Amino acid sequence: MSKVVALASCLGMLLCTSVQAAQPAAALDRPWLNPSLSPDARAKAAVAAMTLDEKMRLVFGYSDQALTEVSKVPDDVVSPELKAYVVTHLVKGSAGFVPGVPRIGIPDQTQTDASIGVRNSFIPSTALPSSLATAASFDPEVPRAGGAMIGAEARATGHNTMLAGGINLAREPRNGRNFEYAGEDPLLAGTMVGALINGIQSNRIISTIKHYAVNDQETLRTSLDVTISAEAMRQSDLLAFELAIEKSSPGSVMCSYNLINGRWGCENDYLLNTVLKHDWGFKGFVMSDWGAVHSTAPAANNGLDQFTGFCCKEDKPWFAPPAMKAALQSGELSHGRLDDMVERILWALFAKGPVDDPVKVTPIDYAANAAVSQRAAEESLVLLKNDGDLLPLRGVKSIAVIGGHADQGVLAGAGSSDVTPLGGDRKIGGHSYLPSPPLDALRRELPKTKIVFDAGTDHAAAAALAVQSEVTIVFVTRHNSEGSEASLTMVDNQDDLVAAVARANPKTIVVAETGGAIYMPWVDQVPAILEAFYPGIGGGPAIARTLTGKVNPSGHLPISFPASPDQLARPEIEGLGLPDGTPAAVSFDEGAAIGYKWYDMKGYKPLFWFGHGISFTRFAFSDLAAQADGKGIKASFSIRNLGKRQGKGVGQIYVAPADWKKAGWEAPKRLGAFAKTDLKPGKSQRIELTVDPRLLATYEAAGNNWHIRGGEYDVSIADSAATRAQSVRVKLPDTVWSAEHAGN
Ligand code: BGC
């Protein structure tokens, strides 16, 4: 202990660093550096050894603008020593930085975005398909492998905290960030995002999960007050978070910009203290979205542990040392709560690896990582229709490839998820294209076929080329970005282009690169449609190999595609067109009836249902059996490949009370379980799955309980939310249990 005290009195951080280097971890007098102790014990011991100034370093983080902006912050807000430390230690081009405490061996938190890959404007990295695309794989191994790749690149580029794990449900099909999230269903999203976080954290670094919560539209995201009942939240957006957190234990949860029921996301006692930390027993720390903080003591007391992304001198430094000290002095903030904040941050640093396995800059095998990304895309492309088995392309003499900048690359989403690929991306009309042109890949796959490209700007010229070609492939694109919404109607007359080309050549295939759902007014005019979402750095080859049959498509939609605007829950997005920061309110009256649940409940027929996706082979489901199992249901079924090609089938179990209104459900049915399996022609497999009891229950705020209403439930096996191959009935007893630690 004496050494700890002596070191605690050292003056400048640079001096402390050298002392630390000269005195490697001694387990006896620095118990927090002893990996055989629990992360809880280590965090407690480290907090006890820290000075007040050191504690305050950990709760206040700087944004990527810090390099240029932090020097302008007054010295009485951030001391010159700390400013110098930040500027010399952050990873240039990353999203954020929280200084560590070198004196006691606590590393800096080097934070960056990681929705689809490591975002750093100076360091190239590998772009996975968008999270919405990998969710379409319906195979958690795909985001897990992708996350492991991202985490490895993070380590190799000196980042130890990844701002990943986007899981806001696609409640609003026009939300500009839907491409960063994992679709409209809590079970699918929770499973896929949990797997991504597991992959990232397998590299001994921290991942967040974000943006907590119901930050489901981008319009006025920093000033919008969302009204939604606790019941609806717990059965939808929060359930997705709950499932993912249980599956992956992220080190941190990022609270969102918006208000929820009148309280800021990062100052929301109900969401942060009651649900996350109490009911779910979350041990990590809550970091703010970049600058999403509005107070000192109220934010800290309502559950925020770290103000992250402090930017510029205009920002209010709510968690900077002077503000924290004033709150402590006035008694508005207790030393106990500050210790808890620091302990939670340290817990994550000990439990997830950054203390024991510091990140180190090493070379990256970009070719190997691009292969991981291409495999993810090949599992995720969704074949929406294929009339007359036009696909896969066989023995075709000539192909017209039209539009979508298919000669340049594949579209990527914009905002903080933006990844700099090796060699840079291609900017066309202000949008980023990853250098993986489908045109080149098709030419590689079909060396004997005459393939001619037309940009698609002149529809008559495109149609003339289509007439001369045996088959036409039209690429359409829809740009999505953080900070704005995406129209479901495609821009730049692309609908007219498809219609003109389809009139000219009935053998027209559409490949859509979109951040989410789009309207397809030409859906009946084209025989084949492949939804590629944003397919990542291996997108070109993945599309070409699917169109030519090397890859048998196996993706299924993680979102429904509405047929027309009158099917949307809200005709207009609240606040659209108003300047950023304008106070506004929206009531999410559809509650937990999101996506297919909404269409089902309203009796609408969307263009394509959640779960839909076809293959070059056919699968049959049979012998469904189901029985009550604990509070949940155990279901088993057989799946057989009836076709002539090997392929991957996805079995989807839907559950439905005999009377959904009486059972208090938001909609007639819910996805209860799913599994993907690879089958050779003629082969079959028996699959057994369990339905989590929360997916059979309603949440009751009064007693903080989950409640399954006793009665008959239909259990169906299906390959989309619209079909059912077989159903059986199960009788469930009336069951009520506490929502505290419900997953344990
Ligand atoms: C985004 C977050 C992101 C952060 C840092 C914010 O604007 O909402 O998702 O992690 O910036 O880049």
Side-chain angles (χ1 to χ4, degrees):
M1 195 65 203
S2 59
K3 194 185 289 168
V4 171
V5 175
L7 288 172
S9 65
C10 73
L11 291 172
M13 277 307 144
L14 293 175
L15 176 62
C16 292
T17 313
S18 58
V19 171
Q20 183 198 345
Q23 308 236 359
L28 279 180
D29 55 3
R30 297 178 149 213
W32 57 89
L33 294 182
N34 178 355
S36 63
L37 295 179
S38 72
D40 308 60
R42 296 174 73 184
K44 270 196 187 355
V47 171
M50 286 166 81
T51 65
L52 180 61
D53 284 337
E54 287 170 345
K55 290 175 191 172
M56 285 188 301
R57 286 165 76 94
L58 294 194
V59 299
F60 191 56
Y62 303 83
S63 87
D64 46 350
Q65 325 248 331
L67 200 58
T68 49
E69 292 291 331
V70 85
S71 56
K72 299 181 195 155
V73 177
D75 289 355
D76 57 354
V77 174
V78 180
S79 68
E81 292 79 16
L82 195 47
K83 280 191 226 173
Y85 186 93
V86 171
V87 170
T88 50
H89 286 71
L90 57 67
V91 182
K92 261 170 69 181
S94 66
F97 178 80
V98 181
V101 184
R103 179 186 73 82
I104 62 162
I106 304 303
D108 303 328
Q109 289 163 64
T110 42
Q111 307 168 322
T112 207
D113 284 286
S115 283
I116 60 160
V118 178
R119 171 184 160 231
N120 186 300
S121 39
F122 298 109
I123 308 170
S125 51
T126 305
L128 274 187
S130 61
S131 303
L132 191 67
T134 48
S137 71
F138 271 68
D139 179 358
E141 177 49 24
V142 172
R144 196 215 54 80
M149 181 278 283
I150 292 179
E153 289 198 354
R155 279 194 79 78
T157 52
H159 303 97
N160 64 13
T161 305
M162 304 312 288
L163 315 174
I167 195 169
N168 297 79
L169 293 186
R171 170 187 300 282
E172 171 48 73
R174 295 159 291 192
N175 179 359
R177 289 190 96 168
N178 279 343
F179 75 97
E180 290 187 60
Y181 304 142
E184 66 192 27
D185 179 78
L187 173 67
L188 180 70
T191 308
M192 304 311 259
V193 172
L196 175 86
I197 295 168
N198 276 329
I200 292 176
Q201 293 195 155
S202 68
N203 290 282
R204 309 276 292 142
I205 59 173
I206 292 172
S207 175
T208 65
I209 185 165
K210 68 187 187 184
H211 309 88
Y212 188 70
V214 279
N215 178 193
D216 296 345
Q217 69 172 59
E218 283 299 277
T219 302
L220 304 184
R221 65 175 175 163
T222 60
S223 55
L224 187 75
D225 186 1
V226 173
T227 303
I228 182 168
S229 70
E231 287 83 357
M233 266 195 287
R234 296 291 288 253
Q235 290 169 207
S236 61
D237 284 63
L238 297 193
L239 183 55
F241 273 95
E242 184 176 8
L243 295 172
I245 290 172
E246 272 166 27
K247 286 175 198 297
S248 62
S249 175
S252 180
V253 170
M254 184 191 285
C255 50
S256 58
Y257 284 120
N258 52 305
L259 299 103
I260 304 94
N261 297 327
R263 301 293 167 102
W264 293 109
C266 293
E267 194 174 315
N268 197 304
D269 180 57
Y270 174 72
L271 287 177
L272 304 180
N273 287 334
T274 305
V275 178
L276 177 68
K277 292 182 180 174
H278 179 263
D279 285 0
W280 300 346
F282 178 67
K283 284 187 172 179
F285 66 104
V286 176
M287 73 161 75
S288 66
D289 200 342
W290 261 220
V293 188
H294 300 269
S295 65
T296 306
N301 291 332
N302 287 315
L304 180 66
D305 300 306
Q306 187 181 68
F307 177 143
T308 327
F310 174 69
C311 168
C312 315
K313 68 178 191 318
E314 297 80 33
D315 269 9
K316 294 221 169 47
W318 296 111
F319 276 29
M324 294 303 274
K325 278 186 180 156
L328 288 167
Q329 259 154 24
S330 70
E332 284 174 280
L333 177 67
S334 68
H335 281 275
R337 171 65 187 125
L338 176 64
D339 283 0
D340 176 51
M341 293 157 73
V342 176
E343 205 175 304
R344 286 173 169 279
I345 296 164
L346 290 170
W347 179 87
L349 288 166
F350 289 120
K352 305 303 164 194
V355 176
D356 299 331
D357 284 319
V359 293
K360 210 165 74 213
V361 176
T362 50
I364 291 175
D365 184 344
Y366 289 106
N369 291 353
V372 173
S373 179
Q374 183 179 322
R375 272 199 298 280
E378 290 176 353
E379 292 282 342
S380 306
L381 303 189
V382 185
L383 185 59
L384 294 175
K385 67 181 285 194
N386 190 21
D387 293 351
D389 289 336
L390 177 56
L391 293 173
L393 299 171
R394 288 154 293 215
V396 179
K397 296 211 170 46
S398 62
I399 299 178
V401 173
I402 294 172
H405 305 289
D407 58 333
Q408 296 294 314
V410 287
L411 187 59
S416 55
S417 65
D418 206 10
V419 159
T420 309
L422 199 59
D425 54 12
R426 297 177 185 170
K427 289 271 186 282
I428 307 172
H431 303 160
S432 299
Y433 284 75
L434 296 167
S436 180
L439 178 67
D440 297 1
L442 265 171
R443 286 186 170 139
R444 279 198 301 274
E445 291 302 322
L446 300 171
K448 297 201 179 108
T449 307
K450 182 178 171 212
I451 302 180
V452 180
F453 178 71
D454 180 281
T457 34
D458 175 343
H459 295 185
L465 176 65
V467 169
Q468 293 158 24
S469 312
E470 197 178 327
V471 169
T472 303
I473 308 173
V474 191
F475 284 79
V476 295
T477 57
R478 212 276 314 280
H479 174 70
N480 270 45
S481 173
E482 176 180 341
S484 61
E485 315 296 8
S487 157
L488 302 189
T489 301
M490 274 189 302
V491 297
D492 297 335
N493 297 322
Q494 293 182 88
D495 288 333
D496 292 346
L497 172 68
V498 176
V501 169
R503 271 196 304 274
N505 186 339
K507 289 191 177 176
T508 289
I509 299 147
V510 176
V511 178
E513 293 166 20
T514 68
I518 48 168
Y519 298 134
M520 298 181 175
W522 31 261
V523 66
D524 295 327
Q525 293 157 41
V526 297
I529 306 172
L530 183 68
E531 175 58 61
F533 297 110
Y534 295 151
I537 195 66
I543 291 169
R545 281 159 52 85
T546 304
L547 295 174
T548 55
K550 276 224 176 99
V551 171
N552 192 351
S554 63
H556 287 250
L557 290 179
I559 44 168
S560 306
F561 280 38
S564 55
D566 53 2
Q567 293 188 340
L568 302 179
R570 265 166 298 284
E572 296 294 335
I573 293 180
E574 193 58 52
L576 197 66
L578 294 177
D580 277 352
T582 310
V586 65
S587 185
F588 285 160
D589 294 331
E590 72 282 12
I594 300 174
Y596 66 93
K597 295 172 183 167
W598 167 259
Y599 302 115
D600 217 2
M601 187 262 282
K602 297 297 274 185
Y604 295 156
K605 187 174 177 296
L607 180 63
F608 293 107
W609 285 90
F610 172 87
H612 172 71
I614 55 179
S615 157
F616 296 147
T617 184
R618 278 187 311 120
F619 298 96
F621 299 103
S622 62
D623 305 317
L624 174 67
Q627 72 205 56
D629 177 53
K631 293 196 284 282
I633 287 178
K634 194 161 265 175
S636 54
F637 60 90
S638 298
I639 173 171
R640 179 179 294 279
N641 182 346
L642 298 181
K644 295 202 171 64
R645 280 171 174 267
Q646 183 166 350
K648 292 181 178 171
V650 172
Q652 301 165 36
I653 296 281
Y654 289 89
V655 283
D659 183 338
W660 64 273
K661 287 190 181 145
K662 217 163 123 203
W665 281 32
E666 68 283 359
K669 64 172 177 288
R670 298 171 178 166
L671 180 70
F674 62 90
K676 190 175 200 177
T677 186
D678 191 6
L679 289 172
K680 293 209 160 63
K683 292 287 176 215
S684 72
Q685 195 185 337
R686 184 104 194 128
I687 291 179
E688 187 175 276
L689 299 172
T690 13
V691 179
D692 187 295
R694 286 164 291 188
L695 298 168
L696 299 162
T698 52
Y699 173 76
E700 294 174 342
N704 192 26
N705 289 322
W706 290 103
H707 183 181
I708 298 176
R709 312 288 170 104
E712 304 273 355
Y713 287 75
D714 280 332
V715 178
S716 311
I717 176 71
D719 61 5
S720 86
T723 58
R724 64 165 71 179
Q726 205 187 344
S727 291
V728 292
R729 279 224 155 165
V730 176
K731 200 169 164 57
L732 296 178
D734 205 74
T735 313
V736 178
W737 71 101
S738 169
E740 266 179 57
H741 311 286
N744 299 342

